[in-house]
Amino acid sequence: MLFKDITILDEDFKIQENINLITHGDKISYIGKDLPQGYRGEIYNGKNKVLLPGFFNTHSHIPMTLLRGYGEGLPLQRWLFEKMFPFEARLKPSDCYWGSLLGAMEMIKSGVVSYSDMYFNIEDIIRASKDSGLKANISHGTSSNPNNPNFKDSIAYKDTERMLEAVKKEASDKIKIDIGLHAEYTSNENLVRQVAAYAKEKNLIVHTHISETLSEHESCKEKYGLTPTEYFEKCGLLDNKVIGAHCVWIENEDFQIIKEKGLSPIHCVSSNLKLGSGFAPIKKMMDMGIEIGIGTDGASSNNNLNILEEMHISSLLIKGLNRDPQVMSPKEIIKIATINGARSQDRYDTGCLKVGNKADIIVFDMDKAHLQPVFDVLTNIIYSASGDDISLNMIDGEIVYKNGEFMTIDKEMVIYKSNEIKDRILKELV
Ligand SMILES: [Zn+2]
């Protein structure tokens, strides 16, 4: 496809106007001012359009779209134990398939091309991801089971092994398998060490939650005399590539450990605000050169999977909290959502627009009242645009969304199925 005469964000994250960009198969094959001679493929008119690398939502629990808005207004522990856990216990694998497609629509519509997820029933989440066209790093979140202390007897281990074998046979690397360790407070040292060793043996990314709430952070210090970050380091977990969701309450030595170990902290601002957890010290991390990523978390605590909204809120809040309007420019937050996300997923052929990279592309339609006039394209995208302004989402060269229509997902069917599941589980819970 030729994106003709379009504005793009180049590989150095600079805006370039009047560019011709061509995709061939799953890759970007040409970027330049000149129109190549003899091009015969499909042409996309770039007038008033801006083409960016697609976004990476690097922390989610995608089937939790099915629990969106359930149990609102309860304090955290009651919300978890009285609402979330009983509902989740009734989720069948096929429910997770439909919930994942519901989440996939939201992500695609807000410009996401790839996501990192932690949940269970991962075979069905993978099937939904494949059907949607999204890239994904999928993990089964492991936690301690007192009746079953051996990690290799757990469902998480068995699922992960089975899915690792399954993706080996795939022609594309759109789906990657990570290993999930739910959190310090849901696991014991034995499990953490076993997961660390397994990740090392199989060269897997570890996806975990770190220091989300103050109480979790402080009780870890009481238990072990170490922060969750220090504790994970002691257990050898951080000798692997790790993505750590939240990192709201990290302190003192944690920063240096995160930097030295190359851990990717994932900023989940809406979820942290909505659950009253706090605000992660992302300015300090960024000042230290730590590469943070951004995620929506699950739709039960956010309550949406709109990555553009996360980018907007993050860039406003950090300025207000630091009383500094120059912290986190639009370019910086876009880098966090693109190239940083790609690297955190061990994907080095995407995350920016350059020849030879995968064609993971989104297009903003700037021909809207709220996006005009344009002094600075990225300023308008971060502070004025919404997901509705995205007119195209292309992943590995395949158009998955165009002008409000999903090319890979039957929207009406997914919404119908999601409500059917909700009604069934509510009846079961009576
Ligand atoms: Zn989470």
Side-chain angles (χ1 to χ4, degrees):
M1 187 176 222
L2 163 64
F3 294 89
K4 192 178 170 195
D5 209 5
I6 198 163
T7 297
I8 74 159
L9 189 63
D10 71 12
E11 65 176 299
D12 299 317
F13 289 82
K14 291 201 181 85
I15 287 290
Q16 304 282 353
E17 292 176 348
N18 307 114
I19 295 292
N20 293 296
L21 183 147
I22 299 176
T23 65
H24 182 72
D26 60 356
K27 292 195 173 68
I28 298 168
S29 58
Y30 175 85
I31 301 174
K33 287 264 182 200
D34 298 330
L35 200 57
Q37 294 284 310
Y39 176 80
R40 294 196 195 287
E42 195 180 338
I43 295 176
Y44 187 93
N45 182 353
K47 188 166 186 282
N48 281 324
K49 303 282 200 297
V50 173
L51 193 150
L52 299 186
F55 301 136
F56 288 69
N57 179 7
T58 45
H59 181 62
S60 65
H61 311 281
I62 192 169
M64 291 188 90
T65 45
L66 295 171
L67 288 84
R68 189 198 318 274
Y70 181 56
E72 286 293 314
L74 288 177
L76 190 64
Q77 291 301 309
R78 285 191 59 198
W79 174 76
L80 261 180
F81 286 91
E82 292 176 24
K83 297 290 176 179
M84 295 297 115
F85 293 159
F87 194 103
E88 285 184 320
R90 284 162 176 81
L91 283 174
K92 296 194 277 199
S94 60
D95 298 340
C96 288
Y97 172 79
W98 293 109
S100 298
L101 281 181
L102 189 63
M105 285 197 287
E106 263 189 288
M107 288 201 205
I108 286 170
K109 195 177 179 304
S110 71
V112 170
V113 293
S114 186
Y115 69 105
S116 289
D117 203 79
M118 181 204 291
Y119 212 58
F120 53 92
N121 291 332
I122 60 173
E123 185 168 2
D124 296 83
I125 298 173
I126 290 169
R127 194 159 57 88
S129 298
K130 280 194 201 163
D131 287 354
S132 73
L134 277 168
K135 298 184 177 196
N137 281 40
I138 304 287
S139 68
H140 186 131
T142 315
S143 42
S144 286
N145 177 348
N147 305 319
N148 193 3
N150 190 359
F151 168 62
K152 295 208 168 175
D153 293 331
S154 69
I155 299 171
Y157 169 76
K158 287 171 190 164
D159 261 10
T160 306
E161 281 287 293
R162 207 158 41 86
M163 291 301 110
L164 278 171
E165 283 307 308
V167 299
K168 261 191 215 161
K169 296 179 192 129
E170 300 280 330
S172 110
D173 63 353
K174 280 170 98 176
I175 305 292
K176 287 172 178 261
I177 306 298
D178 298 343
I179 178 69
L181 177 79
H182 178 263
E184 172 278 317
Y185 62 93
T186 47
S187 53
N188 57 34
E189 187 168 340
N190 184 29
L191 180 70
V192 178
R193 287 188 181 276
Q194 289 182 74
V195 169
Y198 176 64
K200 200 166 192 177
E201 177 198 329
K202 297 279 177 161
N203 195 24
L204 300 180
I205 296 172
V206 179
H207 190 158
T208 190
H209 294 99
I210 298 179
S211 298
E212 177 177 1
T213 63
L214 182 60
S215 68
E216 151 207 343
H217 184 81
E218 291 300 322
S219 63
C220 180
K221 282 159 69 179
E222 274 170 34
K223 238 189 301 179
Y224 303 109
L226 300 167
T227 64
T229 303
E230 289 169 333
Y231 166 73
F232 280 157
E233 188 201 23
K234 188 194 98 176
C235 296
L237 194 75
L238 307 189
D239 295 338
N240 299 289
K241 190 175 170 86
V242 175
I243 66 170
H246 307 302
C247 295
V248 174
W249 291 99
I250 53 167
E251 58 177 327
N252 305 325
E253 294 306 307
D254 293 346
F255 290 91
Q256 203 52 40
I257 295 171
I258 286 171
K259 185 170 165 73
E260 276 168 20
K261 294 291 181 179
L263 186 147
S264 305
I266 308 302
H267 188 41
C268 302
V269 65
S270 298
S271 171
N272 296 155
L273 292 176
K274 188 159 184 295
L275 296 179
S277 304
F279 186 81
I282 49 174
K283 181 177 186 304
K284 181 163 179 188
M285 288 193 262
M286 283 165 36
D287 288 348
M288 287 176 70
I290 293 168
E291 275 193 6
I292 65 167
I294 189 160
T296 56
D297 209 350
S300 54
S301 60
N302 181 311
N303 290 1
N304 64 64
L305 307 182
N306 179 351
I307 198 73
L308 204 55
E309 185 178 276
E310 296 304 304
M311 293 159 73
H312 187 200
I313 295 173
S314 300
S315 58
L316 294 184
L317 204 53
I318 193 171
K319 291 173 175 62
L321 288 171
N322 289 283
R323 280 169 276 159
D324 180 356
Q326 295 192 306
V327 185
M328 197 186 271
S329 65
K331 189 201 282 190
E332 276 173 306
I333 187 67
I334 288 173
K335 277 184 165 179
I336 286 168
T338 55
I339 192 78
N340 286 13
R343 286 188 193 131
S344 78
Q345 293 187 333
D346 252 350
R347 297 181 189 271
Y348 300 97
D349 57 1
T350 179
C352 67
L353 301 177
K354 67 176 179 188
V355 172
N357 262 13
K358 289 289 171 71
D360 297 330
I361 283 168
I362 55 173
V363 177
F364 281 84
D365 179 2
M366 306 298 277
D367 191 19
K368 308 272 180 78
H370 62 281
L371 298 180
Q372 295 292 331
V374 181
F375 294 100
D376 175 74
V377 174
L378 300 185
T379 294
N380 284 21
I381 284 176
I382 295 302
Y383 302 121
S384 312
S386 75
D388 287 340
D389 302 318
I390 293 173
S391 54
L392 181 128
N393 186 329
M394 175 188 269
I395 304 170
D396 267 15
E398 180 193 11
I399 295 172
V400 295
Y401 178 80
K402 193 176 178 183
N403 301 330
E405 297 291 325
F406 295 95
M407 303 293 153
T408 53
I409 304 174
D410 181 343
K411 179 180 155 189
E412 281 71 32
M413 170 71 104
V414 173
I415 291 174
Y416 173 81
K417 285 282 183 189
S418 301
N419 279 293
E420 198 178 60
I421 294 162
K422 178 201 109 181
D423 292 343
R424 188 198 83 227
I425 295 183
L426 280 185
K427 254 189 220 151
E428 287 174 21
L429 285 167
V430 173

